[in-house]
Amino acid sequence: MNDSHFSRTWLRALAAPLPEGLATPLETARFELSAFFPAPEAPEIRLQEDMGESYRIERTEGRPRLIGGRTGVLYGAYALILASAGGCPVPQGTSAPFYPLRVLSCWDNMDGSVERGYSGNSLWFEGGHVRFDKARIRQLGRMLASAGINVVCVNNVNVHFPAQELIGAQLDETAALAAEFRPFGVRLMLSVDFSMPLSCGVGTADPLDENVQRWWSERARRVWEAVPDFAGFMVKADSEHRPGPSAYGRTHAEGANMLARAIAPYGGALIWRAFVYDCMQDWRDTATDRGKAAYELYKPLDGLFDDNVILQVKHGPFDFQVREPVSPLLLGMPRTRLALEVQLAQEYTGQQKDLYAMPPLWREILDTVGKDRIEAFTAVSNLGRDAAWTGHPFAALNLFAFGFYAWDPDSAPERVMRLWARLTYHLKPGEEDTLVSWLLRSRSIYEKYTSNLGLGWMVTPNTHYGPNPWGYEFQSWGTYNRADRNGVGVDRTRAGTDYVSQYPQELKRLYEEPLTCPENLLLFFHRLKYTYVMADGRMLIQRLYDDHFDGCREAEEMAKALLALPLPPEDSEQVEARMRLQLENAREWRDVTNTFFHRLSGIDDARGRKIYE
Amino acid sequence: MNDSHFSRTWLRALAAPLPEGLATPLETARFELSAFFPAPEAPEIRLQEDMGESYRIERTEGRPRLIGGRTGVLYGAYALILASAGGCPVPQGTSAPFYPLRVLSCWDNMDGSVERGYSGNSLWFEGGHVRFDKARIRQLGRMLASAGINVVCVNNVNVHFPAQELIGAQLDETAALAAEFRPFGVRLMLSVDFSMPLSCGVGTADPLDENVQRWWSERARRVWEAVPDFAGFMVKADSEHRPGPSAYGRTHAEGANMLARAIAPYGGALIWRAFVYDCMQDWRDTATDRGKAAYELYKPLDGLFDDNVILQVKHGPFDFQVREPVSPLLLGMPRTRLALEVQLAQEYTGQQKDLYAMPPLWREILDTVGKDRIEAFTAVSNLGRDAAWTGHPFAALNLFAFGFYAWDPDSAPERVMRLWARLTYHLKPGEEDTLVSWLLRSRSIYEKYTSNLGLGWMVTPNTHYGPNPWGYEFQSWGTYNRADRNGVGVDRTRAGTDYVSQYPQELKRLYEEPLTCPENLLLFFHRLKYTYVMADGRMLIQRLYDDHFDGCREAEEMAKALLALPLPPEDSEQVEARMRLQLENAREWRDVTNTFFHRLSGIDDARGRKIYE
């Protein structure tokens, strides 16, 4: 772990390796403060149990005083350290997390692979077992705690054999992993297989069956016996061929509540994923709209979930595209506890080769939804065994920033990015501005050269990297652009699939008309002719071409600017290699997409740039 | 092996299980004859070593007399048995195989998987080792010998670890497998990894390096010591990322000859595959034509290969599509020994779900090329561990017929099909006619509902099953249809890529002009507008629609007719299941392809049938 080729991410200033044997967040806090600050400056630290995760920093005559709860002391310690390392004033007053559950969801399989992972294999699974480098897990605990993340769901929501055994025959392995995270205030969560009682001799997984209920209660008892601070279960049910309550004619509320009741005695949370749709849709069927599925399924269940059920909703109605409107479910379940789910793993957004800083995306979502409508914040992890932790060293920003947004959803993108940049690299002010300004633009650039105007989904099937405009067009996944020689886009207004009616009146009115619909969602909500004239006078087809040319050119400028930055050697090689891939990808997207629309429309670029045949 | 659920294929009449301990083809022949014929009718059998693979059947007063070479006696025995079982007159006179090498190339990996296999896992590999059911391998030997196949290349041409060890640490396993096939006159061949000396301490695989040459000579010595009747090596080099001589600046002749010399002392054959092209082509590049690659590479090497090198050429210039012109290489290498390679595994032709009887295809190829131009016939296997051997029970026809064509390339498709049908099923004459007539039409039906007029390649990437018209369009594989709103097809005439100039004058003239070009190759050679008027007065676009509607309707008629046949229970369930999949596939192809062309062309179906949006 002290290998010099590992990226130190935003913890570059914390040079001291974490020792073994730290037992509590308080001990960790003491170690970190004493290792970072010279003895005379080391803050005084005081535990006040009832403060829980929060902390207060008081400015005394000499050194600051930190008072905090069991984990609050550690968050406070990192707040002091990061402020100091980042050259910021010592924070003062009380800080408490806005969301009590700040969950990192890791799609790690027990064979060591990571579904949609772009940073190497799992940090804790290998060969069907929990296996990890203790020093590396300690460093990870440090990363998570310093960013404020307090729950890690360690296995894939698609529960592949033998991950069921993490609450069964291999529960001791689960406990061993939990013990490593404990000194960092990080609690373990597991994804569970709804049908597990079936393979364990119960003969059914019907949530209304008493034997099933008893089986899960007994299972929960054993789990909390082994891991007393266990956080709860995450469930992907009735989704993409996963088993679920529908097999028994039960509702998702019945399914979720059954599990929730089994874990309620231990204070466990039951996170039920709302990512449910018909993945066997017939492309011929233009009336069915995948975007409507979750709302249609869950809206009638609002108010029927138990108190410890949290319905976890992806930010958009589809699946982590570069641009989607917010999921109407986030706005339509006032009597249900909701978690917002985002994806740090850049499945559709560049796979940690292409730069894509997410805070601007989250800012938009939170502003649209309102931070109070949700009670938990979950992010699909972008971590792996790579030396850089997140593949692209800059992708660590998203992990860091996620923790910050989950702690304080009012965060401003630029402020978080600047703090991350300052902690990670020691750049001159002008250089830091360069880095931050490109990070701020990176999403918009990616959007322009991939699928702009809300189109989405023009990706290579399966891998989800690189362009393939009709790769999913005649498939069963419900993701169509319906392009033809005249126009493109799906009509989701009342005249079309009427998806738009799932929104509250105000948003509905906004999206319903092409003239008021935000341009970046135009083709998400509307089907338009290539000759449609946009607000600035450009034809739609021209805007498609222009964005692709612009996005690619901006990616080139960005690469040039960022590759000129003086980065530490363990990061610079990775950054260079990945940015080269981004440029190849950007050119491929530009040319394929422009060629696609030119073949269909027959309309030439007004500016005479090269569009291939 | 005697499980009643195994298909008995065309050996339905051979009820006696083959005993262990048969040592030679003669012993096998004696057993088979005595088990099949009642004692008084059992043919007399006489070995005449110098006859090799050939045999002579003489009609004497009572029972026939069979005189044959070491393996000839076995081929003669099966000829007698199959004739009798098929109700044909006793064959008379001498029979000898036209091609001395009748090779089944099995793309089996040692983990048990089969590349492009649609009949279950490998029959002889499992878990990194040679592992097989002896009784099943004996039955397989019986199948191969009865069809006249005499060489089995047992491992994938893409040599994946640890298949290298089949001529190394695991050579004894190779020998054990060879021993099982020996009583059936079937000799083993192996695919080898051109770079193997590199990983065995030689430090290079340069074919002109003496150490490399010595290494291969020593390796060959060991192989033939372990397997004295070993047939030779098959090599896929410099193709799809496989290592080859180009890494050392050497020609394919230099690479092949080096290996050929190592095995020449043992009479081994070196089969060098000519399937070489740039699989990293830029789709933007319209001048490069993958179809031209093999000819350009090998034509200059004609006459430079050693005597025991056989250049193995796929039947078309691309890759086993439903329709391609014959490879110009087959017509352009007069001073090189050639093998013709076909693919029983229905990678692009329905994956043993869709019915696709191949004899009509081979008839066309052999008639165009001329049987004398080639010296060996190779087929990629369609075998696997499935109870039906070939997935779809009817796909066994292709294995059977391949052996017949390799023995007698003048065979008539209908005759072979009828013999297979008669041996396999005991149908009434009218029913047998039904089966044979649909088998004869099956390729044409598949062609109509998939990609007609020589288009090819509109398949789902990677899986190669089902439609995806632009799935490969913007990829690096060199397989494009270049469709746009006005027309479709690649211009391969002198005005285009000039691929057509690789053909002899007569064929070139034929293909060069749309008016003389066979319609089923029209869009292979020409780029035409959708409004192009075909010979029968229909527009090109209408022909695209018509064929897809017709093909799908014919598939439905075929399914109806074939499902009404009284098949044995162990076959009928499989046939029904697979035909159902074929119908789904045909409808998907029809609708996706028609929608694709309708979206592009905007031209409605003249007959007003349903084309989806």
Side-chain angles (χ1 to χ4, degrees):
Chain A
M1 241 335 287
N2 292 310
D3 302 27
S4 61
H5 70 284
F6 280 103
S7 177
R8 298 203 62 85
T9 68
W10 60 87
L11 299 178
R12 203 164 289 278
L14 277 79
L18 285 159
E20 292 187 58
L22 295 169
T24 64
L26 178 63
E27 285 182 31
T28 308
R30 283 197 206 287
F31 171 82
E32 291 286 38
L33 290 174
S34 67
F36 183 82
F37 290 102
E41 295 168 30
E44 184 192 338
I45 187 166
R46 216 168 67 202
L47 187 68
Q48 187 180 323
E49 285 280 1
D50 67 354
M51 287 184 76
E53 294 200 306
S54 65
Y55 62 86
R56 190 170 70 249
I57 294 170
E58 294 172 356
R59 194 65 185 272
T60 60
E61 274 302 295
R63 41 192 210 158
R65 179 184 301 142
L66 165 63
I67 306 123
R70 215 184 60 79
T71 49
V73 287
L74 184 58
Y75 296 127
Y78 283 121
L80 284 162
I81 289 168
L82 298 191
S84 171
C88 311
V90 176
Q92 292 209 55
T94 300
S95 183
F98 191 83
Y99 297 120
L101 289 174
R102 305 175 299 283
V103 184
L104 194 68
S105 173
C106 303
W107 292 357
D108 293 29
N109 300 312
M110 288 189 73
D111 64 1
S113 64
V114 178
E115 184 166 324
R116 307 302 172 186
Y118 312 105
S119 315
N121 268 11
S122 171
L123 283 158
W124 47 74
F125 292 137
E126 196 178 277
H129 290 277
V130 172
R131 274 189 202 137
F132 50 85
D133 171 342
K134 285 195 172 199
R136 193 144 192 209
I137 294 291
R138 278 199 298 278
Q139 184 68 4
L140 174 61
R142 189 183 228 175
M143 283 167 67
L144 299 178
S146 69
I149 294 165
N150 70 346
V151 174
V152 174
C153 185
V154 293
N155 66 315
N156 192 351
V157 292
N158 295 313
V159 182
H160 299 302
F161 179 84
Q164 291 87 351
E165 297 304 331
L166 290 169
I167 60 166
Q170 291 172 250
L171 183 53
D172 56 334
E173 300 184 20
T174 302
L177 185 57
E180 298 297 320
F181 281 118
R182 196 165 287 126
F184 301 94
V186 174
R187 299 156 67 206
L188 235 57
M189 178 172 275
L190 288 172
S191 301
V192 297
D193 174 350
F194 191 83
S195 69
M196 194 171 165
L198 253 183
S199 57
C200 292
V202 182
T204 172
D206 182 350
L208 299 196
D209 184 288
E210 281 184 19
N211 292 321
V212 170
Q213 294 161 4
R214 244 194 313 276
W215 187 91
W216 278 109
S217 292
E218 169 59 16
R219 191 63 46 163
R221 189 190 61 71
R222 282 195 242 167
V223 170
W224 264 271
E225 192 174 278
V227 187
D229 59 352
F230 191 72
F233 293 150
M234 189 177 286
V235 190
K236 175 175 180 177
D238 284 330
S239 167
E240 296 178 339
H241 311 297
R242 293 288 117 190
S246 70
Y248 309 96
R250 311 303 181 193
T251 69
H252 279 232
E254 288 168 325
N257 291 344
M258 179 275 291
L259 287 170
R261 281 163 205 169
I263 66 178
Y266 315 100
L270 195 279
I271 296 188
W272 189 267
R273 291 177 88 241
F275 180 60
V276 180
Y277 67 99
D278 176 11
C279 66
M280 297 298 285
Q281 185 178 334
D282 191 333
W283 60 268
R284 298 166 187 83
D285 168 12
T286 52
T288 300
D289 184 350
R290 164 171 166 180
K292 293 169 73 176
Y295 188 93
E296 285 176 345
L297 177 67
Y298 291 105
K299 177 70 183 169
L301 303 178
D302 190 26
L304 300 182
F305 289 98
D306 277 16
D307 280 351
N308 62 329
V309 174
I310 298 172
L311 189 67
Q312 182 165 285
V313 183
K314 290 189 180 185
H315 66 77
F318 278 83
D319 192 12
F320 301 135
Q321 298 302 291
V322 60
R323 179 78 59 177
E324 301 184 40
V326 298
S327 168
L329 206 57
L330 290 168
L331 304 166
M333 301 287 281
R335 296 185 297 152
T336 302
R337 298 177 66 198
L338 296 176
L340 170 64
E341 182 176 346
V342 298
Q343 190 186 35
L344 310 183
Q346 293 171 229
E347 177 175 357
Y348 296 98
T349 53
Q351 306 200 349
Q352 288 134 256
K353 296 175 193 115
D354 300 33
L355 197 59
Y356 187 105
M358 300 183 178
L361 164 67
W362 305 334
R363 186 70 273 136
E364 282 174 19
I365 298 165
L366 289 161
D367 286 347
T368 310
V369 173
K371 65 183 177 185
D372 296 307
R373 271 191 222 256
I374 56 176
E375 299 195 22
F377 201 1
T378 296
V380 180
S381 168
N382 59 358
L383 286 164
R385 248 176 226 215
D386 274 6
W389 295 89
T390 52
H392 196 312
F394 292 174
L397 160 71
N398 290 326
L399 178 62
F400 176 82
F402 163 67
F404 266 67
Y405 272 83
W407 189 279
D408 175 11
D410 291 322
S411 298
E414 184 173 348
R415 206 184 64 85
V416 179
M417 288 176 176
R418 192 169 288 278
L419 178 59
W420 171 82
R422 186 160 300 170
L423 292 169
T424 306
Y425 302 118
H426 303 126
L427 300 171
K428 293 183 195 135
E431 293 166 346
E432 192 178 289
D433 290 345
T434 298
L435 176 54
V436 171
S437 69
W438 284 110
L439 287 171
L440 274 165
R441 291 175 63 186
S442 60
R443 178 192 180 210
S444 148
I445 292 170
Y446 185 82
E447 181 178 22
K448 283 191 217 172
Y449 68 69
T450 59
S451 54
N452 58 336
L453 303 176
L455 267 174
W457 288 113
M458 298 174 77
V459 295
T460 307
N462 308 314
T463 69
H464 300 169
Y465 190 74
N468 194 332
W470 272 351
Y472 274 126
E473 190 66 11
F474 304 104
Q475 305 284 312
S476 68
W477 299 93
T479 56
Y480 314 111
N481 54 53
R482 309 269 182 208
D484 68 13
R485 71 195 326 254
N486 301 311
V488 59
V490 174
D491 183 357
R492 294 194 162 92
T493 68
R494 270 166 298 185
T497 70
D498 201 25
Y499 162 81
V500 76
S501 290
Q502 292 185 344
Y503 285 97
Q505 213 39 248
E506 195 185 340
L507 280 176
K508 182 182 168 179
R509 263 200 304 271
L510 192 70
Y511 295 147
E512 177 81 7
E513 294 297 329
L515 282 174
T516 56
C517 182
E519 277 199 341
N520 55 31
L521 290 170
L522 195 57
L523 295 174
F524 185 95
F525 284 104
H526 300 281
R527 176 171 185 77
L528 298 171
K529 286 199 157 60
Y530 296 120
T531 51
Y532 173 83
V533 179
M534 313 272 293
D536 66 1
R538 282 185 286 179
M539 282 204 299
L540 177 72
I541 186 74
Q542 190 56 40
R543 175 64 183 276
L544 288 167
Y545 296 151
D546 285 350
D547 276 9
H548 283 85
F549 283 115
D550 290 349
C552 190
R553 186 180 38 74
E554 289 168 34
E556 285 163 359
E557 288 166 21
M558 176 167 71
K560 199 173 161 204
L562 297 182
L563 291 177
L565 295 177
L567 304 180
E570 70 274 20
D571 282 13
S572 64
E573 200 180 313
Q574 268 303 311
V575 169
E576 201 177 316
R578 303 235 164 185
M579 296 224 83
R580 232 188 341 258
L581 293 172
Q582 171 165 20
L583 291 188
E584 272 176 39
N585 193 39
R587 287 174 198 141
E588 201 64 13
W589 271 99
R590 176 195 64 194
D591 291 341
V592 169
T593 315
N594 285 345
T595 296
F596 173 79
F597 284 118
H598 187 258
R599 285 193 189 184
L600 281 162
S601 70
I603 300 173
D604 291 334
D605 174 42
R607 295 170 56 191
R609 288 161 297 191
K610 178 74 181 167
I611 294 179
Y612 294 86
E613 282 171 24
Chain B
M1 243 330 291
N2 293 310
D3 303 26
S4 61
H5 70 285
F6 281 101
S7 176
R8 299 203 61 84
T9 68
W10 61 87
L11 300 178
R12 203 164 288 280
L14 277 78
L18 283 160
E20 291 186 59
L22 295 169
T24 62
L26 178 64
E27 285 182 31
T28 308
R30 283 196 205 285
F31 171 82
E32 292 287 38
L33 290 173
S34 66
F36 182 81
F37 290 103
E41 294 168 31
E44 186 192 337
I45 187 165
R46 217 169 66 202
L47 187 69
Q48 186 181 321
E49 285 280 0
D50 66 355
M51 288 185 77
E53 295 200 304
S54 64
Y55 62 87
R56 189 169 71 249
I57 294 169
E58 294 171 356
R59 195 63 185 272
T60 60
E61 275 301 296
R63 44 191 207 157
R65 180 184 301 143
L66 164 62
I67 305 123
R70 216 184 59 79
T71 49
V73 288
L74 184 57
Y75 296 127
Y78 284 121
L80 284 161
I81 290 168
L82 298 191
S84 171
C88 311
V90 176
Q92 294 210 53
T94 300
S95 183
F98 190 82
Y99 298 120
L101 290 173
R102 305 176 298 284
V103 184
L104 194 68
S105 173
C106 302
W107 293 355
D108 292 30
N109 299 312
M110 289 190 72
D111 64 0
S113 64
V114 178
E115 184 167 326
R116 308 302 174 186
Y118 312 104
S119 316
N121 269 11
S122 171
L123 283 158
W124 47 76
F125 292 136
E126 196 178 277
H129 289 277
V130 172
R131 275 189 200 137
F132 50 84
D133 172 342
K134 285 195 173 199
R136 194 146 192 209
I137 295 291
R138 279 199 297 278
Q139 184 68 4
L140 174 61
R142 188 183 228 174
M143 284 167 68
L144 299 179
S146 69
I149 294 166
N150 68 346
V151 174
V152 173
C153 185
V154 294
N155 67 316
N156 192 352
V157 291
N158 295 314
V159 182
H160 298 303
F161 180 83
Q164 291 85 353
E165 296 305 329
L166 290 168
I167 59 166
Q170 290 172 251
L171 183 54
D172 56 334
E173 300 184 19
T174 302
L177 185 56
E180 297 297 319
F181 281 117
R182 194 163 289 127
F184 300 94
V186 174
R187 298 156 68 205
L188 234 60
M189 179 173 272
L190 287 173
S191 301
V192 296
D193 175 350
F194 191 83
S195 69
M196 193 171 168
L198 252 183
S199 57
C200 291
V202 182
T204 172
D206 181 350
L208 299 197
D209 184 288
E210 279 184 20
N211 292 321
V212 170
Q213 294 162 2
R214 244 195 312 275
W215 187 91
W216 278 110
S217 291
E218 167 59 16
R219 191 61 48 164
R221 190 189 62 71
R222 282 195 241 167
V223 170
W224 265 271
E225 191 173 279
V227 188
D229 60 351
F230 191 72
F233 293 150
M234 189 179 284
V235 189
K236 176 175 179 177
D238 284 328
S239 168
E240 296 177 339
H241 311 297
R242 292 288 116 189
S246 70
Y248 309 96
R250 312 304 180 192
T251 69
H252 279 232
E254 287 167 325
N257 291 344
M258 179 274 293
L259 287 170
R261 282 163 205 170
I263 66 178
Y266 316 100
L270 195 280
I271 295 189
W272 189 268
R273 291 177 88 242
F275 181 60
V276 179
Y277 65 99
D278 176 12
C279 66
M280 297 298 283
Q281 184 178 333
D282 191 333
W283 60 269
R284 298 167 187 81
D285 168 12
T286 52
T288 300
D289 184 351
R290 165 171 165 181
K292 293 169 72 176
Y295 187 92
E296 285 175 347
L297 177 66
Y298 290 104
K299 177 69 183 168
L301 302 178
D302 189 26
L304 300 182
F305 290 99
D306 276 17
D307 280 351
N308 63 329
V309 174
I310 299 172
L311 190 67
Q312 181 165 287
V313 183
K314 291 190 180 184
H315 67 75
F318 278 83
D319 192 11
F320 301 135
Q321 299 302 290
V322 61
R323 179 78 57 178
E324 301 184 40
V326 298
S327 167
L329 207 56
L330 291 168
L331 303 167
M333 301 288 280
R335 295 186 298 153
T336 301
R337 298 176 66 196
L338 297 175
L340 169 66
E341 183 175 346
V342 299
Q343 190 187 36
L344 310 182
Q346 294 172 228
E347 177 176 357
Y348 296 98
T349 53
Q351 305 200 348
Q352 288 135 257
K353 298 175 190 112
D354 301 34
L355 197 58
Y356 187 105
M358 299 182 179
L361 165 66
W362 305 335
R363 187 69 273 133
E364 282 175 18
I365 297 165
L366 288 162
D367 286 347
T368 310
V369 174
K371 65 182 176 185
D372 296 307
R373 271 192 221 254
I374 56 175
E375 299 195 21
F377 201 1
T378 296
V380 180
S381 168
N382 59 358
L383 286 164
R385 247 175 225 216
D386 275 7
W389 295 88
T390 52
H392 197 312
F394 293 174
L397 160 70
N398 290 326
L399 179 61
F400 176 80
F402 163 66
F404 266 67
Y405 273 82
W407 188 280
D408 175 11
D410 291 321
S411 298
E414 184 171 349
R415 206 184 65 87
V416 178
M417 288 176 176
R418 192 168 287 279
L419 178 59
W420 171 82
R422 187 161 299 169
L423 292 169
T424 306
Y425 302 119
H426 304 127
L427 301 170
K428 293 183 197 135
E431 294 166 348
E432 192 178 288
D433 289 345
T434 298
L435 177 53
V436 171
S437 69
W438 284 110
L439 287 171
L440 274 167
R441 290 176 63 186
S442 60
R443 178 191 181 210
S444 148
I445 291 170
Y446 184 82
E447 180 178 22
K448 283 190 217 172
Y449 68 69
T450 59
S451 53
N452 58 336
L453 303 176
L455 266 174
W457 288 113
M458 298 175 76
V459 295
T460 306
N462 308 315
T463 69
H464 299 169
Y465 191 75
N468 196 331
W470 272 350
Y472 274 125
E473 190 65 10
F474 304 104
Q475 306 285 312
S476 68
W477 299 93
T479 57
Y480 314 111
N481 54 54
R482 308 271 182 205
D484 68 13
R485 73 198 321 256
N486 301 312
V488 59
V490 173
D491 184 356
R492 293 194 162 92
T493 67
R494 270 166 296 184
T497 69
D498 201 26
Y499 162 81
V500 76
S501 290
Q502 293 186 343
Y503 285 97
Q505 213 39 248
E506 195 185 340
L507 280 176
K508 183 182 169 181
R509 264 199 304 270
L510 192 72
Y511 295 147
E512 177 82 7
E513 295 298 328
L515 281 174
T516 56
C517 182
E519 276 198 341
N520 55 31
L521 290 171
L522 195 58
L523 295 174
F524 185 96
F525 284 103
H526 301 279
R527 176 170 185 78
L528 296 171
K529 286 201 155 64
Y530 296 120
T531 51
Y532 174 84
V533 179
M534 313 272 292
D536 66 359
R538 283 186 285 180
M539 281 203 300
L540 177 72
I541 186 75
Q542 190 58 39
R543 175 64 184 276
L544 287 166
Y545 296 151
D546 285 350
D547 276 9
H548 283 85
F549 283 114
D550 290 349
C552 190
R553 186 180 37 73
E554 289 168 35
E556 284 164 359
E557 288 166 21
M558 175 167 71
K560 199 171 161 205
L562 296 183
L563 292 176
L565 296 177
L567 303 180
E570 70 274 20
D571 282 13
S572 65
E573 201 180 313
Q574 268 303 312
V575 170
E576 201 177 316
R578 302 236 165 183
M579 296 225 82
R580 233 190 338 261
L581 293 172
Q582 169 165 20
L583 290 187
E584 273 176 39
N585 192 40
R587 287 174 198 138
E588 201 65 13
W589 270 100
R590 176 195 65 195
D591 291 341
V592 169
T593 315
N594 285 344
T595 296
F596 173 79
F597 284 118
H598 187 258
R599 284 194 189 183
L600 281 162
S601 71
I603 300 173
D604 291 334
D605 174 42
R607 295 169 56 189
R609 289 160 296 192
K610 178 74 181 169
I611 294 180
Y612 294 86
E613 283 169 25

